[in-house]
């Protein structure tokens, strides 16, 4: 195993010297991407993302609940990622491990900090009753770069979400779900773009093999207004300041291309 | 089985069920084999509104070594529901229901797998319910059996599964969610069709002996139809490989 | 260990060829059964079941609580089984494992689906306040066939249960426990009967050794009205349709015999 | 120790306690040895309304191997209460109280067991409280000690245990639940009677030094009476075996 | 490791024959003790205890909450001890193990049973709203006798605690925190004193090495009124009745000396 | 990043922040190396109101053996907050935030440690936040790096860390709790100063590319100042040892 890993690493590094990648892509190329929405009828929103052989299914459920005490005028979003063992020999059954937790939190930050969802519009009764949006990322096949696939799936699923309008009767204090549906108030489209660093080279959208041998990686989430809403350097390795600048520029460019592929945009 | 709403009829005067099926009619079933790259074998089954993915890993080394059996592989099964697979969001992680279902599915598949060929290893089956609409365990067994075949695990026979139940006082095939909620009984069955061996049998409800045996027989018929679809799905996968190799 | 198991299996199979069992019973014989109720004074109901050397203690506690939102007119029953490590070298400390969970759920279904307890009579204030019945099965000595012993113990303990009558004052919204006691509304007596399949033979009420070598087993729970309220094929192995029919017939017969042994019936 | 209801007297003017006992009187105690088939040793103790079962497994192999000691067995103790053993149903599984009690019981039994005879093994003691009425830890130690003897584990001495406490300002033997709730202190003690070695000693309450030492001495007296009952119970078991062998 | 332990044990026993200890102390000597309070400004009370090289940090947080149903006229105290793995190679990450739980419960009993805090004074609305006092013991460096250090730290931190006065408006049912601060009602100063038994010898305040080789230990918690509020014999080993009497006497004496070192007394 | 209270100014007209600092000014930082006896290396850092202790154990044997790497040590990091370290008492045990922070801190320190020297072992770093006031992760990295040096673990360079952020529309160094709550972004950075290698980089907030890069550069400057303090703290420790040896 360790020996195979070292041979694979040598091979990948050898190719990179000539700006080639193990699967034939250029250093700045994403794998083929498809995004299909409304794949789970029982969920208020959903998206199936295929990024090369990586497959991610995101489901959105919307409930009613209480706001956080310190944020009485905001709805609640919560992001959970399940690395189910169906998706990879490297996943184990059990509660989310540090990889799944980090991934969920970076996806969540990208959405939250860009204010991609107008949380104020999710309030029904201030301080008492708001919509609670669950973003559940279910990894189906892990062939690398789960973070970008998850972030793309999350925003695509949110865009596809339809929720019943509600009417609140102040006298009876009752909430009535109407037959009429409305969209979630999604106002921005943050897209994460990840580059791995392998022996001094930077490659975008690393696949599983590349992730096995990389030193570290960095993810930049940008929106269509030119803002960054999350940055995360992950795993080991190190980056130079100029590399950060390069990565940021590339993130904008790739995010624009990806945004084209999201249904309904 | 919950209290049925006043006046709800699950079978109408013409013998049609709420989704338009006849009493002995299966829901629409689609199967696809080899849908995941990472797994050694995999399959996807759509069964009515059920959407189920199954993956097989193994035979492979077992991590906590004291679980190893010197004379055979161990089979492990994990049935899991995605949080968004049901009306009310399900908290992630196993609940008591999925622990039981994982156990009976293992018992349904074990008789088919020739475990003696791979001592000291495990064969791990993961079933993910992406959308649930009653009958997930029989759909899951059906998908898992395909995934085992896709992984090249030697088997005595495929395991095919189907449920029957009782609605509005009559035995009917393959209940959907509404029928399961407001029906009188559900009888999931799995078989190895070559020898008519029953490897899963449960009953949840309240039936006479005669009704119960009628339901079992009907479910076996359903499972045999499912078996044909399984064989077709595997044949398709085989043809695809032949084609690819030919290229 | 594995060798001892294989020698034991050979021995059991050899005997079965002549319709004999390792402990001298016939294929359709239960072990000696005793059921003693009211053994735990602090519980509202209780039963100690001895089935051969298998010992099970069931305690019933009844509390007040809220009904399930979708079943506002029904009391709540909940069944829990503890495989405490005192009872067997095969039990480990910790939360219930899959064996204990399956057992609890099959016992629960047998009672619930036969409507053995009239849950509507457990309602005090519809939608708000109902009786919550905890059926706690505590395994003391595991010599096989825990399921039948537990099912017998559960219904015997329920039959022995006495709860204080309550009065609900609608104006003050207070519940008063009266000094007067009443029985739980138990209307049916479901009894599980288990057969193991060992090398093509069917034996009822398998003991520990038989369970070690069996291929699989099946449990049929029937009540005195001739209805089946739960069926569970468990472990590996397979059954023919004719075997299912035989097992069902035998389950009725054995359940009738067992019902005779329950105090107060 | 809770606030005592107004006017409640735990000892009446004639020196009788609520359950009719005198100050220095034990509750009724019954012991039986060898009550479980699966365990290597077992015992059942009824002590007033307490109903306690103890089982011993071992010496046996330890599963997580790094727990093994090269020069002796390890002793493990698990004290557990059945959910129905107390007035309010107890959620299954260990709480902080039972973790502490398990630990001090282990410390009470360890000095008696000759662990050096069984290196690399464990001796596991399981104490199940089936009904609780104050004094479960001393009853549990008493039962566990019998179960150890029944399992044939070599011991320097039996461990016998008993508690004393303070109620209505006076030191009394063997408090029951009501006395424990409304009393001023509880002092559980375990001893190895041959050498008068104290192996368990706790105090929960508020006592002067003199009261504390008086309670300890009284509890030791109680434990010695318990010791006689333990020996009788073992003798009975022995006679039963002799009888059976003789048959 | 085992061999080193046995050599250390021999060495310690050899010294004890001449009434000497491994660190040069007399049998009845505590290690140097310092107690510093108000070290964590964000906590309502705090204390840093150094007992030789053992270091314990105790923080007190005070919240509002509900009383226990059976004690409607009492505030709530709760004691938690964290054996964080920073403090010792013998500590593992995870929830408190049996050592930490026992320690927390003995410290808690010492305080609770002496009624060191007047819990009735913590009630704001009887049966509904009381102060909840969290005593959190954080072990920083484990060089033995964590219990005495923790007990000393807990009572010192409680003595240093300042909480905002509150006003309860019966009409609006609102609680207002005032700017004015008050002390916690601490009325007694219980101090635990621990002696270890090593090969027949009794030594007070055992250090880490002594604890490694001791047979058992005993802790006596006494207050300044001459009362004992907790006793705990812990680990294995045994004590004679005369030893208990000696230990009790010494506990009073040592507790008086320690009480001198607590700031603000 | 919460909603800022109406009218709250984080930088006043004279360019002063709420705690009196200028835009590019660090909070007061104190460091002490070698503060714990039990640990192989340790350090204590006060950074504004943050109080952080770090300890290193190792290289040492790994308990679950399958975690061993045949060619290098593994680095494990646990960042933990004391229950009393924050305004609202924090329930003990790791939450999702501390799991993530532990992971990124490991990634920040790993490039500096020469793990190849100690195959099959673990180097365990424990960071305890005793009081938190924004910036605990950079303070924690700073302390952990000192503890590694104190433990004598060979490193390519110290890791120094600092954050920058955006408040009232301006990029500022080293946000405190109030600024973090009501500011627009926080950018924690860790570097190995000798080669200007960035080993930690996160951003939480909403920034243009220019603002982001400005913040990174400012944080690097801050980290370099922190680096000087680290070296001083180590020098002090060294002098103390020399003194002691000399005695």
């Amino acid at each position: 195993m360790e020996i195979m890993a070292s041979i694979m690493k040598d091979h990948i590094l050898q190719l990179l010297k000539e700006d080639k990648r193990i699967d034939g892509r250029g250093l700045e190329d994403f794998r083929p991407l498809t995004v299909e929405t409304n794949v789970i009828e029982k969920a208020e929103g959903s998206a199936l993302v295929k990024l090369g052989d990586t497959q991610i299914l995101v489901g959105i459920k919307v409930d009613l609940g209480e706001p956080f005490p310190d944020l009485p005028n905001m709805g609640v979003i919560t992001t959970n990622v399940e690395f189910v063992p169906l998706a990879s020999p490297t996943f184990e059954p059990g509660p989310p491990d540090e990889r799944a937790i980090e991934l969920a939190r970076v996806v969540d930050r990208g959405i939250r900090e860009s204010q991609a969802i107008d949380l104020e519009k999710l309030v029904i009764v201030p301080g008492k009753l708001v919509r609670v949006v669950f973003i559940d990322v279910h990894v189906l096949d892990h062939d690398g770069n789960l973070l970008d696939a998850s972030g793309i799936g999350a925003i695509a699923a949110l865009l596809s979400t339809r929720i019943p309008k509600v009417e609140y009767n102040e006298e009876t204090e009752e909430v009535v779900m109407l037959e009429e549906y409305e969209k979630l108030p999604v106002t921005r489209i943050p897209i994460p773009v990840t580059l791995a660093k392998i022996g001094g080279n930077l490659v975008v959208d690393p696949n599983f093999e590349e992730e096995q041998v990389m030193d570290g990686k960095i993810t930049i989430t940008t929106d269509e207004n030119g803002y960054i809403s999350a940055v995360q350097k992950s795993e080991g390795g190190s980056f130079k300041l100029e590399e950060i600048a390069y990565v940021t520029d590339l993130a904008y460019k790739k995010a624009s291309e990806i945004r084209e592929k999201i249904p309904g945009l | 089985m919950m209290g049925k709403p006043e006046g709800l009829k699950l079978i109408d005067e013409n013998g049609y069920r709420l989704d338009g099926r006849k009493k002995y009619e299966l829901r629409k079933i689609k199967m696809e084999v080899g849908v995941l790259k990472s797994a050694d074998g995999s399959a996807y089954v759509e069964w009515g509104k059920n959407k189920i993915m199954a993956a097989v890993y193994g035979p492979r080394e077992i991590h906590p070594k004291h679980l190893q059996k010197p004379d055979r592989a161990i089979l492990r099964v994990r049935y899991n529901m995605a949080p968004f697979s049901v009306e009310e969001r399900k908290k992630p992680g196993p609940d008591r229901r999925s622990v039981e279902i994982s156990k009976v599915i293992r018992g349904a598949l074990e008789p088919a797998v020739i475990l003696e060929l791979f001592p000291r290893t495990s064969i791990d089956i993961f079933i993910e319910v992406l959308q649930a609409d009653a009958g997930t365990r029989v759909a899951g067994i059906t998908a898992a059996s395909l995934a085992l075949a896709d992984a090249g695990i030697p088997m005595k026979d495929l395991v095919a599964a189907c449920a029957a139940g009782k609605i509005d006082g009559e035995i009917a095939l393959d209940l959907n969610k509404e029928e399961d909620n407001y029906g009188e009984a559900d009888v999931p069955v799995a078989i190895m069709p070559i020898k008519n061996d029953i490897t899963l049998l449960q009953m949840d409800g309240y039936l006479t002996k005669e009704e119960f045996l009628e339901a079992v027989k009907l479910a076996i018929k359903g499972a045999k139809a499912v078996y044909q679809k399984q064989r077709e799905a595997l044949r398709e996968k085989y043809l695809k490989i032949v084609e690819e190799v030919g290229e």
Side-chain angles (χ1 to χ4, degrees), chain B residues 208-237:
Chain B
T208 64
K209 183 195 158 186
E210 292 68 32
E211 290 170 335
F212 170 59
L213 291 175
E214 187 190 338
V216 175
K217 282 177 211 159
L218 182 59
I220 289 174
K221 265 194 201 158
K224 287 188 175 170
V226 168
Y227 185 60
Q228 290 314 317
K229 290 177 198 283
Q230 284 178 308
R231 293 175 58 94
E232 279 163 39
L234 286 171
R235 194 165 163 272
E236 240 168 75
K237 172 75 193 296

Side-chain angles (χ1 to χ4, degrees), chain A residues 2 70-71 74 79-81 96-102 104-106 109 113-115 188 197 215 218 220-221 223 225-241 244-245 248-249 252:
Chain A
E2 299 282 338
D70 50 340
L71 296 168
M74 293 209 175
T79 305
N80 183 60
V81 175
D97 69 5
E98 57 169 28
R99 297 171 298 175
I101 288 173
E102 183 188 31
R105 287 176 59 85
V106 176
R109 280 204 286 273
E113 297 296 337
S114 67
Q115 300 181 30
R188 295 208 185 104
K197 188 156 184 189
D215 302 306
I218 189 163
I220 314 266
T221 305
D223 69 12
N225 295 347
Y227 275 82
I228 306 171
S229 62
V231 174
Q232 185 90 342
K233 182 250 165 183
S234 192
E235 310 304 328
S238 63
F239 292 84
K240 302 288 183 190
L241 185 57
I244 304 296
T248 308
D249 283 333
Y252 282 107

Side-chain angles (χ1 to χ4, degrees), chain B residues 1-3 68-71 95-104 106-108 110-111 137 166 184 192 195-213 216-217 220:
Chain B
M1 315 288 136
M2 302 183 210
Q68 292 185 357
K69 298 279 174 190
D71 54 347
D95 54 12
R96 291 168 68 92
R97 176 180 167 276
S98 41
V99 170
E100 185 200 346
I101 293 182
S102 297
K103 185 172 184 297
V104 296
R106 190 180 68 229
E110 217 174 63
R137 89 191 64 187
K166 183 176 171 191
E184 292 107 74
M192 294 195 293
K195 296 200 174 172
N196 282 316
D197 286 316
I198 297 168
T199 66
L200 176 106
L201 176 59
Q202 296 182 284
M203 198 278 282
D204 186 8
Y206 200 57
L207 295 180
T208 64
K209 183 195 158 186
E210 292 68 32
E211 290 170 335
F212 170 59
L213 291 175
V216 175
K217 282 177 211 159
I220 289 174

